[in-house]
Amino acid sequence: MPLSSAPMPKEPSGEVDVVVLGAGSAGIAAARRLLAAGLRVAVLDARRRVGGRAATVALKGHPVDLGAHWLHNGPINPLVRLARARGEPLRQAPGERHLVIGRRFATPRESASLIRTFAQADAAIGRAMRREEDQAAARALPPLGPFGRRVLTVEGLVSGRPFDEVSLHDVPDMDYADNFFMAGGLGAYVARLARPVPVRLGIAARVLDWSGKGVRVETDAGSLRARAAIVTLPMAVLQREGLRFTPGLPIPVREAIHGFVPGVYEHVILHWPDAPFHGPDRLAMLLGGREEPPGLLTRIDGTPFHFFELDLPTASRFDGRDPDAPGRYARAVLADQFGHRAIRTLQVCRSTAWRHDPFSGASWAVVPPGLVAIRDRLKAPVADRVWFAGEALSRAQWGTVGGAWEEGERAASEIAAYLGPKGSDPAFS
Ligand SMILES: Cc1cc2nc3c(=O)[nH]c(=O)nc-3n(C[C@H](O)[C@H](O)[C@H](O)COP(=O)(O)OP(=O)(O)OC[C@H]3O[C@@H](n4cnc5c(N)ncnc54)[C@H](O)[C@@H]3O)c2cc1C
């Protein structure tokens, strides 16, 4: 069960100024801003909890994130700024990493060489972005030497797709130097931010009718009218017509939605008290074994919990197999790397499958080469009644809770300006 407690569903009915579809990071941000502007707001979410792809659960009595865990890009992340203002328990992510080659930890020289290879790749991407037409990001990389394959794997993991399927002009700044963690879990933090927001849970929006004045949302529990709507459903859900629009959306908007491809990033959550990794919250890379897994986050929050990460190629191997297959794989890889004795205390607690979740369909939305305009195209409202928001629209922070939050606030500010403020409520500002 999520740690957050949230209000029980109520029947949707009546009329509000704005209906917000989805109570993930974008929807919560939008609702807070609309309420602060004094507007009447209804928020609907299909799940029985808030937070969307940010969800903290209790495992063995510890809060553990099943989805988003890092607060990336501290200087521009609105959730870092807000956390500081609220006095939330933020901590900076350490810069140290573990590099394991075969059964030994790498020498300082090998580690330095890996770091240089990452810097070389970042510089090549930066140069190519400025000088070259859009293309597959991987094509902008020069030969990178012995750690080149590792760098490509990591870029593919954090992008959500192999790097040759990602637009060069859409590669975000992947500087891991200014990242933060939230004690008690990022999902729990997002749920705390939702407390002042009246969310109706367990209510899936089925149809958004924008044919008349304002909008009408149909759900299994009744319908709701509003002057405008903010749609924060994940792109993969919209692509599958998880929400039907009447009339259909304009062609450029539909094309933008269908231009994204699903990003895949999954956690196998391990409880491993005797893990050979020391120091809290460090990334680990394992090389030189039969498999070279995409990466780990070790001793999360100083506990025995670890994330064994799965990228798209690795996660896809388990599609159609039993839910324990990713955990067995993680065990086999770690046994190969460290020996069977080293994994005696290792327990697999959970494997996520956000790509198969009907309300997510992916970990985030990825822009393939040539389609870099689609994020911005969705920012224009449809008929001054339907706004889109969510991680997929953020240019600088796509695929993140911070980017989703920023986009929710943007859409809400535009609507508030359009509908006219009704007197602000300082509780939400
Ligand atoms: C395993 C994993 C790890 C990640 N790691 C990080 C990380 O470390 N840092 C980071 O910043 N980001 C990370 N992300 C990405 C981050 O979680 C998302 O970018 C962000 O949470 C998206 O927020 P959102 O509001 O755009 O969408 P969501 O959080 O998906 O919110 C959309 C909401 O819409 C609801 N919904 C769907 N269909 C309907 C419907 N028909 N009617 C009503 N409601 C509906 C959903 O239930 C959901 O609550 C990770 C994601 C995953 C899966």
PDB file of all heavy atoms in Angstrom, residues 103-130:
ATOM      1  N   ARG A 103      35.414  -9.570 -10.663  1.00  0.00           N
ATOM      2  CA  ARG A 103      35.084  -9.710  -9.239  1.00  0.00           C
ATOM      3  C   ARG A 103      35.810  -8.685  -8.373  1.00  0.00           C
ATOM      4  O   ARG A 103      35.889  -8.823  -7.154  1.00  0.00           O
ATOM      5  CB  ARG A 103      35.380 -11.124  -8.762  1.00  0.00           C
ATOM      6  CG  ARG A 103      34.427 -12.108  -9.396  1.00  0.00           C
ATOM      7  CD  ARG A 103      34.232 -13.357  -8.589  1.00  0.00           C
ATOM      8  NE  ARG A 103      33.154 -14.129  -9.205  1.00  0.00           N
ATOM      9  CZ  ARG A 103      32.800 -15.327  -8.829  1.00  0.00           C
ATOM     10  NH1 ARG A 103      33.418 -15.909  -7.831  1.00  0.00           N
ATOM     11  NH2 ARG A 103      31.814 -15.946  -9.441  1.00  0.00           N
ATOM     12  N   ARG A 104      36.394  -7.662  -8.988  1.00  0.00           N
ATOM     13  CA  ARG A 104      37.124  -6.688  -8.175  1.00  0.00           C
ATOM     14  C   ARG A 104      36.609  -5.277  -8.437  1.00  0.00           C
ATOM     15  O   ARG A 104      36.043  -4.992  -9.499  1.00  0.00           O
ATOM     16  CB  ARG A 104      38.617  -6.764  -8.491  1.00  0.00           C
ATOM     17  CG  ARG A 104      38.910  -6.347  -9.918  1.00  0.00           C
ATOM     18  CD  ARG A 104      40.379  -6.229 -10.236  1.00  0.00           C
ATOM     19  NE  ARG A 104      40.572  -5.925 -11.640  1.00  0.00           N
ATOM     20  CZ  ARG A 104      40.564  -4.705 -12.155  1.00  0.00           C
ATOM     21  NH1 ARG A 104      40.396  -3.636 -11.377  1.00  0.00           N
ATOM     22  NH2 ARG A 104      40.733  -4.509 -13.455  1.00  0.00           N
ATOM     23  N   PHE A 105      36.818  -4.414  -7.433  1.00  0.00           N
ATOM     24  CA  PHE A 105      36.502  -3.000  -7.635  1.00  0.00           C
ATOM     25  C   PHE A 105      37.597  -2.384  -8.495  1.00  0.00           C
ATOM     26  O   PHE A 105      38.773  -2.753  -8.378  1.00  0.00           O
ATOM     27  CB  PHE A 105      36.372  -2.289  -6.286  1.00  0.00           C
ATOM     28  CG  PHE A 105      35.026  -2.551  -5.642  1.00  0.00           C
ATOM     29  CD1 PHE A 105      34.795  -3.713  -4.913  1.00  0.00           C
ATOM     30  CD2 PHE A 105      33.980  -1.665  -5.815  1.00  0.00           C
ATOM     31  CE1 PHE A 105      33.553  -3.980  -4.358  1.00  0.00           C
ATOM     32  CE2 PHE A 105      32.734  -1.910  -5.262  1.00  0.00           C
ATOM     33  CZ  PHE A 105      32.521  -3.072  -4.530  1.00  0.00           C
ATOM     34  N   ALA A 106      37.212  -1.444  -9.358  1.00  0.00           N
ATOM     35  CA  ALA A 106      38.152  -0.851 -10.308  1.00  0.00           C
ATOM     36  C   ALA A 106      39.211  -0.032  -9.580  1.00  0.00           C
ATOM     37  O   ALA A 106      38.986   0.447  -8.464  1.00  0.00           O
ATOM     38  CB  ALA A 106      37.393   0.050 -11.275  1.00  0.00           C
ATOM     39  N   THR A 107      40.352   0.134 -10.223  1.00  0.00           N
ATOM     40  CA  THR A 107      41.405   0.999  -9.674  1.00  0.00           C
ATOM     41  C   THR A 107      40.990   2.458  -9.878  1.00  0.00           C
ATOM     42  O   THR A 107      40.157   2.760 -10.748  1.00  0.00           O
ATOM     43  CB  THR A 107      42.734   0.767 -10.425  1.00  0.00           C
ATOM     44  OG1 THR A 107      42.517   1.130 -11.803  1.00  0.00           O
ATOM     45  CG2 THR A 107      43.186  -0.680 -10.340  1.00  0.00           C
ATOM     46  N   PRO A 108      41.579   3.400  -9.110  1.00  0.00           N
ATOM     47  CA  PRO A 108      41.261   4.827  -9.324  1.00  0.00           C
ATOM     48  C   PRO A 108      41.511   5.257 -10.761  1.00  0.00           C
ATOM     49  O   PRO A 108      40.782   6.052 -11.330  1.00  0.00           O
ATOM     50  CB  PRO A 108      42.217   5.547  -8.358  1.00  0.00           C
ATOM     51  CG  PRO A 108      42.532   4.535  -7.301  1.00  0.00           C
ATOM     52  CD  PRO A 108      42.491   3.198  -7.971  1.00  0.00           C
ATOM     53  N   ARG A 109      42.538   4.686 -11.378  1.00  0.00           N
ATOM     54  CA  ARG A 109      42.850   5.023 -12.769  1.00  0.00           C
ATOM     55  C   ARG A 109      41.727   4.598 -13.715  1.00  0.00           C
ATOM     56  O   ARG A 109      41.312   5.354 -14.601  1.00  0.00           O
ATOM     57  CB  ARG A 109      44.133   4.270 -13.125  1.00  0.00           C
ATOM     58  CG  ARG A 109      45.007   4.898 -14.146  1.00  0.00           C
ATOM     59  CD  ARG A 109      46.114   3.867 -14.433  1.00  0.00           C
ATOM     60  NE  ARG A 109      46.659   4.107 -15.727  1.00  0.00           N
ATOM     61  CZ  ARG A 109      47.776   4.779 -15.924  1.00  0.00           C
ATOM     62  NH1 ARG A 109      48.449   5.247 -14.897  1.00  0.00           N
ATOM     63  NH2 ARG A 109      48.209   4.961 -17.151  1.00  0.00           N
ATOM     64  N   GLU A 110      41.210   3.383 -13.500  1.00  0.00           N
ATOM     65  CA  GLU A 110      40.112   2.901 -14.356  1.00  0.00           C
ATOM     66  C   GLU A 110      38.858   3.763 -14.146  1.00  0.00           C
ATOM     67  O   GLU A 110      38.166   4.121 -15.098  1.00  0.00           O
ATOM     68  CB  GLU A 110      39.804   1.433 -14.033  1.00  0.00           C
ATOM     69  CG  GLU A 110      40.860   0.478 -14.557  1.00  0.00           C
ATOM     70  CD  GLU A 110      40.759  -0.916 -13.928  1.00  0.00           C
ATOM     71  OE1 GLU A 110      40.334  -1.034 -12.747  1.00  0.00           O
ATOM     72  OE2 GLU A 110      41.129  -1.884 -14.608  1.00  0.00           O
ATOM     73  N   SER A 111      38.596   4.098 -12.873  1.00  0.00           N
ATOM     74  CA  SER A 111      37.411   4.923 -12.593  1.00  0.00           C
ATOM     75  C   SER A 111      37.538   6.282 -13.254  1.00  0.00           C
ATOM     76  O   SER A 111      36.577   6.803 -13.830  1.00  0.00           O
ATOM     77  CB  SER A 111      37.229   5.111 -11.078  1.00  0.00           C
ATOM     78  OG  SER A 111      37.018   3.863 -10.477  1.00  0.00           O
ATOM     79  N   ALA A 112      38.744   6.861 -13.194  1.00  0.00           N
ATOM     80  CA  ALA A 112      38.950   8.180 -13.801  1.00  0.00           C
ATOM     81  C   ALA A 112      38.770   8.100 -15.313  1.00  0.00           C
ATOM     82  O   ALA A 112      38.198   8.999 -15.944  1.00  0.00           O
ATOM     83  CB  ALA A 112      40.346   8.694 -13.458  1.00  0.00           C
ATOM     84  N   SER A 113      39.202   6.992 -15.883  1.00  0.00           N
ATOM     85  CA  SER A 113      39.073   6.828 -17.330  1.00  0.00           C
ATOM     86  C   SER A 113      37.590   6.743 -17.727  1.00  0.00           C
ATOM     87  O   SER A 113      37.173   7.313 -18.739  1.00  0.00           O
ATOM     88  CB  SER A 113      39.848   5.576 -17.738  1.00  0.00           C
ATOM     89  OG  SER A 113      39.495   5.182 -19.009  1.00  0.00           O
ATOM     90  N   LEU A 114      36.792   6.059 -16.898  1.00  0.00           N
ATOM     91  CA  LEU A 114      35.353   5.976 -17.177  1.00  0.00           C
ATOM     92  C   LEU A 114      34.729   7.374 -17.110  1.00  0.00           C
ATOM     93  O   LEU A 114      33.951   7.764 -17.988  1.00  0.00           O
ATOM     94  CB  LEU A 114      34.677   5.041 -16.165  1.00  0.00           C
ATOM     95  CG  LEU A 114      33.158   4.959 -16.281  1.00  0.00           C
ATOM     96  CD1 LEU A 114      32.739   4.312 -17.599  1.00  0.00           C
ATOM     97  CD2 LEU A 114      32.564   4.151 -15.123  1.00  0.00           C
ATOM     98  N   ILE A 115      35.079   8.132 -16.087  1.00  0.00           N
ATOM     99  CA  ILE A 115      34.511   9.489 -15.937  1.00  0.00           C
ATOM    100  C   ILE A 115      34.899  10.357 -17.134  1.00  0.00           C
ATOM    101  O   ILE A 115      34.074  11.087 -17.682  1.00  0.00           O
ATOM    102  CB  ILE A 115      34.981  10.121 -14.602  1.00  0.00           C
ATOM    103  CG1 ILE A 115      34.306   9.381 -13.437  1.00  0.00           C
ATOM    104  CG2 ILE A 115      34.657  11.616 -14.539  1.00  0.00           C
ATOM    105  CD1 ILE A 115      34.874   9.697 -12.079  1.00  0.00           C
ATOM    106  N   ARG A 116      36.137  10.208 -17.582  1.00  0.00           N
ATOM    107  CA  ARG A 116      36.571  10.989 -18.758  1.00  0.00           C
ATOM    108  C   ARG A 116      35.759  10.595 -19.998  1.00  0.00           C
ATOM    109  O   ARG A 116      35.395  11.442 -20.805  1.00  0.00           O
ATOM    110  CB  ARG A 116      38.064  10.731 -19.034  1.00  0.00           C
ATOM    111  CG  ARG A 116      38.992  11.715 -18.334  1.00  0.00           C
ATOM    112  CD  ARG A 116      40.374  11.719 -18.984  1.00  0.00           C
ATOM    113  NE  ARG A 116      40.950  10.395 -19.154  1.00  0.00           N
ATOM    114  CZ  ARG A 116      41.573   9.690 -18.189  1.00  0.00           C
ATOM    115  NH1 ARG A 116      41.702  10.200 -16.979  1.00  0.00           N
ATOM    116  NH2 ARG A 116      42.065   8.499 -18.441  1.00  0.00           N
ATOM    117  N   THR A 117      35.458   9.321 -20.109  1.00  0.00           N
ATOM    118  CA  THR A 117      34.699   8.874 -21.288  1.00  0.00           C
ATOM    119  C   THR A 117      33.295   9.482 -21.274  1.00  0.00           C
ATOM    120  O   THR A 117      32.780   9.902 -22.314  1.00  0.00           O
ATOM    121  CB  THR A 117      34.621   7.330 -21.347  1.00  0.00           C
ATOM    122  OG1 THR A 117      35.932   6.800 -21.136  1.00  0.00           O
ATOM    123  CG2 THR A 117      34.097   6.847 -22.669  1.00  0.00           C
ATOM    124  N   PHE A 118      32.668   9.540 -20.078  1.00  0.00           N
ATOM    125  CA  PHE A 118      31.348  10.188 -19.992  1.00  0.00           C
ATOM    126  C   PHE A 118      31.451  11.658 -20.399  1.00  0.00           C
ATOM    127  O   PHE A 118      30.606  12.172 -21.136  1.00  0.00           O
ATOM    128  CB  PHE A 118      30.777  10.081 -18.568  1.00  0.00           C
ATOM    129  CG  PHE A 118      30.027   8.797 -18.335  1.00  0.00           C
ATOM    130  CD1 PHE A 118      30.555   7.798 -17.536  1.00  0.00           C
ATOM    131  CD2 PHE A 118      28.782   8.591 -18.926  1.00  0.00           C
ATOM    132  CE1 PHE A 118      29.870   6.613 -17.331  1.00  0.00           C
ATOM    133  CE2 PHE A 118      28.093   7.413 -18.725  1.00  0.00           C
ATOM    134  CZ  PHE A 118      28.636   6.413 -17.933  1.00  0.00           C
ATOM    135  N   ALA A 119      32.500  12.338 -19.919  1.00  0.00           N
ATOM    136  CA  ALA A 119      32.650  13.773 -20.222  1.00  0.00           C
ATOM    137  C   ALA A 119      32.853  13.978 -21.727  1.00  0.00           C
ATOM    138  O   ALA A 119      32.305  14.898 -22.331  1.00  0.00           O
ATOM    139  CB  ALA A 119      33.819  14.342 -19.426  1.00  0.00           C
ATOM    140  N   GLN A 120      33.632  13.060 -22.321  1.00  0.00           N
ATOM    141  CA  GLN A 120      33.889  13.126 -23.764  1.00  0.00           C
ATOM    142  C   GLN A 120      32.572  12.970 -24.539  1.00  0.00           C
ATOM    143  O   GLN A 120      32.315  13.700 -25.496  1.00  0.00           O
ATOM    144  CB  GLN A 120      34.820  11.962 -24.092  1.00  0.00           C
ATOM    145  CG  GLN A 120      35.767  12.160 -25.227  1.00  0.00           C
ATOM    146  CD  GLN A 120      36.508  10.828 -25.478  1.00  0.00           C
ATOM    147  OE1 GLN A 120      36.735  10.032 -24.550  1.00  0.00           O
ATOM    148  NE2 GLN A 120      36.866  10.598 -26.724  1.00  0.00           N
ATOM    149  N   ALA A 121      31.745  12.023 -24.103  1.00  0.00           N
ATOM    150  CA  ALA A 121      30.456  11.797 -24.771  1.00  0.00           C
ATOM    151  C   ALA A 121      29.561  13.032 -24.621  1.00  0.00           C
ATOM    152  O   ALA A 121      28.950  13.490 -25.596  1.00  0.00           O
ATOM    153  CB  ALA A 121      29.770  10.566 -24.179  1.00  0.00           C
ATOM    154  N   ASP A 122      29.493  13.597 -23.402  1.00  0.00           N
ATOM    155  CA  ASP A 122      28.655  14.789 -23.184  1.00  0.00           C
ATOM    156  C   ASP A 122      29.108  15.935 -24.075  1.00  0.00           C
ATOM    157  O   ASP A 122      28.291  16.642 -24.664  1.00  0.00           O
ATOM    158  CB  ASP A 122      28.739  15.249 -21.710  1.00  0.00           C
ATOM    159  CG  ASP A 122      27.884  14.381 -20.816  1.00  0.00           C
ATOM    160  OD1 ASP A 122      27.118  13.562 -21.354  1.00  0.00           O
ATOM    161  OD2 ASP A 122      27.990  14.508 -19.576  1.00  0.00           O
ATOM    162  N   ALA A 123      30.439  16.119 -24.167  1.00  0.00           N
ATOM    163  CA  ALA A 123      30.956  17.227 -24.971  1.00  0.00           C
ATOM    164  C   ALA A 123      30.614  17.007 -26.449  1.00  0.00           C
ATOM    165  O   ALA A 123      30.209  17.949 -27.150  1.00  0.00           O
ATOM    166  CB  ALA A 123      32.467  17.345 -24.784  1.00  0.00           C
ATOM    167  N   ALA A 124      30.741  15.763 -26.914  1.00  0.00           N
ATOM    168  CA  ALA A 124      30.438  15.474 -28.328  1.00  0.00           C
ATOM    169  C   ALA A 124      28.958  15.727 -28.609  1.00  0.00           C
ATOM    170  O   ALA A 124      28.604  16.297 -29.647  1.00  0.00           O
ATOM    171  CB  ALA A 124      30.808  14.027 -28.651  1.00  0.00           C
ATOM    172  N   ILE A 125      28.097  15.329 -27.674  1.00  0.00           N
ATOM    173  CA  ILE A 125      26.651  15.557 -27.866  1.00  0.00           C
ATOM    174  C   ILE A 125      26.381  17.066 -27.901  1.00  0.00           C
ATOM    175  O   ILE A 125      25.653  17.564 -28.765  1.00  0.00           O
ATOM    176  CB  ILE A 125      25.838  14.899 -26.719  1.00  0.00           C
ATOM    177  CG1 ILE A 125      25.953  13.374 -26.786  1.00  0.00           C
ATOM    178  CG2 ILE A 125      24.383  15.341 -26.725  1.00  0.00           C
ATOM    179  CD1 ILE A 125      25.126  12.707 -27.854  1.00  0.00           C
ATOM    180  N   GLY A 126      26.980  17.805 -26.970  1.00  0.00           N
ATOM    181  CA  GLY A 126      26.771  19.257 -26.912  1.00  0.00           C
ATOM    182  C   GLY A 126      27.185  19.921 -28.225  1.00  0.00           C
ATOM    183  O   GLY A 126      26.456  20.746 -28.777  1.00  0.00           O
ATOM    184  N   ARG A 127      28.359  19.534 -28.738  1.00  0.00           N
ATOM    185  CA  ARG A 127      28.848  20.127 -29.997  1.00  0.00           C
ATOM    186  C   ARG A 127      27.905  19.786 -31.146  1.00  0.00           C
ATOM    187  O   ARG A 127      27.515  20.656 -31.919  1.00  0.00           O
ATOM    188  CB  ARG A 127      30.246  19.571 -30.320  1.00  0.00           C
ATOM    189  CG  ARG A 127      31.392  20.320 -29.653  1.00  0.00           C
ATOM    190  CD  ARG A 127      32.717  19.956 -30.295  1.00  0.00           C
ATOM    191  NE  ARG A 127      32.970  18.531 -30.346  1.00  0.00           N
ATOM    192  CZ  ARG A 127      33.498  17.791 -29.345  1.00  0.00           C
ATOM    193  NH1 ARG A 127      33.824  18.375 -28.207  1.00  0.00           N
ATOM    194  NH2 ARG A 127      33.702  16.501 -29.485  1.00  0.00           N
ATOM    195  N   ALA A 128      27.530  18.515 -31.235  1.00  0.00           N
ATOM    196  CA  ALA A 128      26.689  18.079 -32.358  1.00  0.00           C
ATOM    197  C   ALA A 128      25.322  18.759 -32.300  1.00  0.00           C
ATOM    198  O   ALA A 128      24.750  19.119 -33.330  1.00  0.00           O
ATOM    199  CB  ALA A 128      26.531  16.560 -32.332  1.00  0.00           C
ATOM    200  N   MET A 129      24.802  18.968 -31.090  1.00  0.00           N
ATOM    201  CA  MET A 129      23.491  19.631 -30.957  1.00  0.00           C
ATOM    202  C   MET A 129      23.540  21.043 -31.546  1.00  0.00           C
ATOM    203  O   MET A 129      22.593  21.507 -32.149  1.00  0.00           O
ATOM    204  CB  MET A 129      23.114  19.760 -29.474  1.00  0.00           C
ATOM    205  CG  MET A 129      22.417  18.576 -28.917  1.00  0.00           C
ATOM    206  SD  MET A 129      22.254  18.822 -27.153  1.00  0.00           S
ATOM    207  CE  MET A 129      20.510  18.743 -26.979  1.00  0.00           C
ATOM    208  N   ARG A 130      24.672  21.701 -31.322  1.00  0.00           N
ATOM    209  CA  ARG A 130      24.790  23.087 -31.809  1.00  0.00           C
ATOM    210  C   ARG A 130      25.007  23.127 -33.315  1.00  0.00           C
ATOM    211  O   ARG A 130      24.548  24.044 -33.978  1.00  0.00           O
ATOM    212  CB  ARG A 130      25.945  23.796 -31.097  1.00  0.00           C
ATOM    213  CG  ARG A 130      25.612  24.184 -29.648  1.00  0.00           C
ATOM    214  CD  ARG A 130      26.678  25.076 -29.052  1.00  0.00           C
ATOM    215  NE  ARG A 130      27.976  24.424 -28.925  1.00  0.00           N
ATOM    216  CZ  ARG A 130      28.334  23.620 -27.930  1.00  0.00           C
ATOM    217  NH1 ARG A 130      27.477  23.368 -26.960  1.00  0.00           N
ATOM    218  NH2 ARG A 130      29.523  23.067 -27.876  1.00  0.00           N
TER     219      ARG A 130
END
